[in-house]
Amino acid sequence: MSNQLYIQDIQSLFDEVQRSKIFEDQKTMTDAVPLFPISEINEKYENEKNAGNFDLKSFVIANFDFLETQIKTNTEQQLPIEQHIEKLWDQLTRTTLEEKGTLLKLPKPYIVPGGRFNEFFYWDSYFVMLGLQTSGRIEMMENIVENCSYLIQKFGFVPNASRTHFLSRSQPPYFSLMLDLLSESTNDGEIYSKYYEILEKEYRFWMDGEKDLENDSASKRVIKTKQGAILNRYYDSKNTPRPESYSIDIEDAENASVKEFYRNIRAACESGWDFSSRWFADGDAIQTIETLDIAQVDLNCLLWHLEDTLAKTSKLKNLSDKHQYFCQRAENRKKAIDQYFWDEKGKIYRDYHIKNNQKTSSESIATLYPLFLNLSNADQAKALSETLSKKFLFSGGLVTTTKNSGQQWDFPNAWAPYQWLGFLSMKNYGFHDVAEKIKNNWCSNVERVYSNTGKLMEKYNALDTETIAGGGEYPNQDGFGWTNGVYLKLKQN
């Protein structure tokens, strides 16, 4: 039998399991592997569910396997942190050469984030690659690129993570940046040409819907502003509760004040920032989430990088028409990034609200992206280095936003990706003191928590370095792929 599971194939059973909360974590059921053909399980469920002695949890456990792989914590003598991470790379390695439940098969081994996350994640993998590069694990870097390439070939994009219920959305498009890392690690300039068609295919996914857009409208992931500029937004093709947070979404939707609440929630998940006041109309409540009304500065910078990579690679391949086309696209986007996201008064890049035709009020660390990719001018960079030091940099690293909403992608949490982006952004423009401070503040926070707990965490509290970071729909996780990667890379620099 095929072991591939699509949640909609067991919708009735799944709905009851998630609403009754028989498992502490809603992700448990999404990761379950059926032990029998789906039709057989559904038939048994329909026949047995109304019996007086029916026990839902016992039924599920009898019909599904729960493949849990926990990170082994070193209980003996604590290893130095770098040695611990080297051991973790092997513990976090998985191979899925055949489908297992909702898990998609992948041609190569891969690194999972850790904790409850036992699948391949898209944007996490870029930051994992930073550490693999430092560890000299070039083959695993190649594996990650190959897996992304396989997914883009098969589905047209890299899903949020390698499970069937993520086939309606992607994550921040880092594939072109992964090629930069791999090319740098192997001194192989041919890598871009090798993956040229894959880069183009991913670009088509993000630009799908552009052709028929009129000014001041949006389709899928593409926006055309009132003035006729093309920008992008995060999106999801489904407007239903997320299987992995099913009952949470249903409860939140009851008091939601927005149309397409579920799609707005899912679009925020495509951004990787699930969740943040950055997406809330009132800055406080998830019920006011309006991700679909926002063009995001990070996404547009990443798509500029994809356009720029396609332009350079077209030139390498002597495709003069395409070279010209992608050069123009990259140039147009660079101007739009400056026009729509830079706030001269606030000395920060903000997201752009497409319905209100103005920048959003949220101050977020996504402001780093134009500096990370060298899209800012010297004056903007200087102003932003001051904003960063004043508003975002604390004793435990860079915070994600200036607002404390209780959400995990808000103040006071410091996440690994933005420590690397902050460090490199400051280095790019010669602000070496700020770069060093970002590096030292966050790395010492990681070291302190490791010394106290023996773990590397998913996120850290930048303000109170004695406290474990909080917020979010689940407890802070240990493992942790991108923390390991960024920590090693920063210590090397």
mmCIF file of all heavy atoms in Angstrom, residues 26 112 118 171 296 331 342 363 399 458 466 484:
data_model
loop_
_atom_site.group_PDB
_atom_site.id
_atom_site.type_symbol
_atom_site.label_atom_id
_atom_site.label_comp_id
_atom_site.label_asym_id
_atom_site.label_seq_id
_atom_site.Cartn_x
_atom_site.Cartn_y
_atom_site.Cartn_z
ATOM 1 N N GLN A 26 -0.968 19.417 18.797
ATOM 2 C CA GLN A 26 -1.779 19.192 17.589
ATOM 3 C C GLN A 26 -0.953 18.620 16.431
ATOM 4 O O GLN A 26 -1.485 18.050 15.490
ATOM 5 C CB GLN A 26 -2.436 20.503 17.167
ATOM 6 C CG GLN A 26 -3.459 21.025 18.160
ATOM 7 C CD GLN A 26 -4.882 20.690 17.780
ATOM 8 O OE1 GLN A 26 -5.397 21.124 16.758
ATOM 9 N NE2 GLN A 26 -5.534 19.876 18.589
ATOM 10 N N VAL A 112 17.005 18.119 10.139
ATOM 11 C CA VAL A 112 15.752 18.663 10.679
ATOM 12 C C VAL A 112 16.095 19.706 11.745
ATOM 13 O O VAL A 112 17.198 19.697 12.283
ATOM 14 C CB VAL A 112 14.854 17.549 11.276
ATOM 15 C CG1 VAL A 112 14.466 16.538 10.219
ATOM 16 C CG2 VAL A 112 15.535 16.850 12.459
ATOM 17 N N ASN A 118 10.427 17.258 12.930
ATOM 18 C CA ASN A 118 11.190 16.127 12.416
ATOM 19 C C ASN A 118 11.041 15.980 10.903
ATOM 20 O O ASN A 118 10.966 14.883 10.369
ATOM 21 C CB ASN A 118 10.779 14.835 13.141
ATOM 22 C CG ASN A 118 9.260 14.696 13.207
ATOM 23 O OD1 ASN A 118 8.542 15.386 12.481
ATOM 24 N ND2 ASN A 118 8.776 13.819 14.058
ATOM 25 N N GLN A 171 8.027 29.063 1.893
ATOM 26 C CA GLN A 171 8.622 29.840 2.981
ATOM 27 C C GLN A 171 9.545 30.859 2.320
ATOM 28 O O GLN A 171 9.701 30.844 1.100
ATOM 29 C CB GLN A 171 9.398 28.916 3.944
ATOM 30 C CG GLN A 171 8.604 28.533 5.174
ATOM 31 C CD GLN A 171 9.443 27.887 6.266
ATOM 32 O OE1 GLN A 171 10.506 27.329 6.035
ATOM 33 N NE2 GLN A 171 8.949 27.943 7.492
ATOM 34 N N GLN A 296 5.785 42.571 1.981
ATOM 35 C CA GLN A 296 6.825 42.454 3.006
ATOM 36 C C GLN A 296 8.207 42.800 2.460
ATOM 37 O O GLN A 296 8.591 42.347 1.377
ATOM 38 C CB GLN A 296 6.853 41.032 3.579
ATOM 39 C CG GLN A 296 5.580 40.648 4.336
ATOM 40 C CD GLN A 296 4.489 40.049 3.454
ATOM 41 O OE1 GLN A 296 4.691 39.833 2.265
ATOM 42 N NE2 GLN A 296 3.326 39.808 4.045
ATOM 43 N N GLU A 331 16.231 45.646 -11.354
ATOM 44 C CA GLU A 331 16.364 47.114 -11.235
ATOM 45 C C GLU A 331 15.045 47.744 -10.779
ATOM 46 O O GLU A 331 15.017 48.604 -9.895
ATOM 47 C CB GLU A 331 16.800 47.689 -12.597
ATOM 48 C CG GLU A 331 17.131 49.172 -12.595
ATOM 49 C CD GLU A 331 18.156 49.580 -11.530
ATOM 50 O OE1 GLU A 331 19.136 48.829 -11.299
ATOM 51 O OE2 GLU A 331 17.971 50.653 -10.905
ATOM 52 N N TRP A 342 11.335 52.062 2.516
ATOM 53 C CA TRP A 342 12.209 52.911 3.334
ATOM 54 C C TRP A 342 11.420 54.056 3.966
ATOM 55 O O TRP A 342 10.742 54.810 3.276
ATOM 56 C CB TRP A 342 13.374 53.465 2.521
ATOM 57 C CG TRP A 342 14.242 54.430 3.304
ATOM 58 C CD1 TRP A 342 14.398 55.770 3.078
ATOM 59 C CD2 TRP A 342 15.053 54.129 4.452
ATOM 60 N NE1 TRP A 342 15.250 56.323 4.006
ATOM 61 C CE2 TRP A 342 15.662 55.340 4.863
ATOM 62 C CE3 TRP A 342 15.311 52.960 5.173
ATOM 63 C CZ2 TRP A 342 16.528 55.403 5.967
ATOM 64 C CZ3 TRP A 342 16.163 53.027 6.274
ATOM 65 C CH2 TRP A 342 16.768 54.247 6.649
ATOM 66 N N GLU A 363 7.619 48.074 13.700
ATOM 67 C CA GLU A 363 9.082 48.150 13.565
ATOM 68 C C GLU A 363 9.627 46.733 13.737
ATOM 69 O O GLU A 363 9.518 46.159 14.830
ATOM 70 C CB GLU A 363 9.669 49.059 14.644
ATOM 71 C CG GLU A 363 9.216 50.503 14.502
ATOM 72 C CD GLU A 363 9.699 51.379 15.663
ATOM 73 O OE1 GLU A 363 9.652 50.913 16.821
ATOM 74 O OE2 GLU A 363 10.100 52.524 15.400
ATOM 75 N N VAL A 399 16.414 41.731 18.931
ATOM 76 C CA VAL A 399 15.009 41.315 19.050
ATOM 77 C C VAL A 399 14.329 41.420 17.689
ATOM 78 O O VAL A 399 14.812 42.111 16.790
ATOM 79 C CB VAL A 399 14.243 42.162 20.099
ATOM 80 C CG1 VAL A 399 14.782 41.918 21.492
ATOM 81 C CG2 VAL A 399 14.289 43.661 19.749
ATOM 82 N N GLU A 458 15.564 26.925 20.182
ATOM 83 C CA GLU A 458 14.996 27.471 18.946
ATOM 84 C C GLU A 458 15.081 28.997 18.926
ATOM 85 O O GLU A 458 15.287 29.603 17.890
ATOM 86 C CB GLU A 458 13.529 27.028 18.876
ATOM 87 C CG GLU A 458 12.778 27.521 17.664
ATOM 88 C CD GLU A 458 11.285 27.256 17.760
ATOM 89 O OE1 GLU A 458 10.761 27.084 18.883
ATOM 90 O OE2 GLU A 458 10.649 27.239 16.699
ATOM 91 N N GLU A 466 18.507 35.333 31.710
ATOM 92 C CA GLU A 466 18.369 34.235 32.670
ATOM 93 C C GLU A 466 17.112 33.410 32.381
ATOM 94 O O GLU A 466 16.883 32.377 32.972
ATOM 95 C CB GLU A 466 18.279 34.798 34.113
ATOM 96 C CG GLU A 466 19.496 35.620 34.543
ATOM 97 C CD GLU A 466 20.805 34.857 34.416
ATOM 98 O OE1 GLU A 466 20.868 33.716 34.889
ATOM 99 O OE2 GLU A 466 21.760 35.415 33.829
ATOM 100 N N ASN A 484 22.348 26.209 15.823
ATOM 101 C CA ASN A 484 23.649 25.551 15.656
ATOM 102 C C ASN A 484 24.432 26.183 14.502
ATOM 103 O O ASN A 484 25.625 26.483 14.627
ATOM 104 C CB ASN A 484 23.476 24.057 15.345
ATOM 105 C CG ASN A 484 22.583 23.334 16.342
ATOM 106 O OD1 ASN A 484 22.291 23.861 17.401
ATOM 107 N ND2 ASN A 484 22.162 22.139 16.002
#
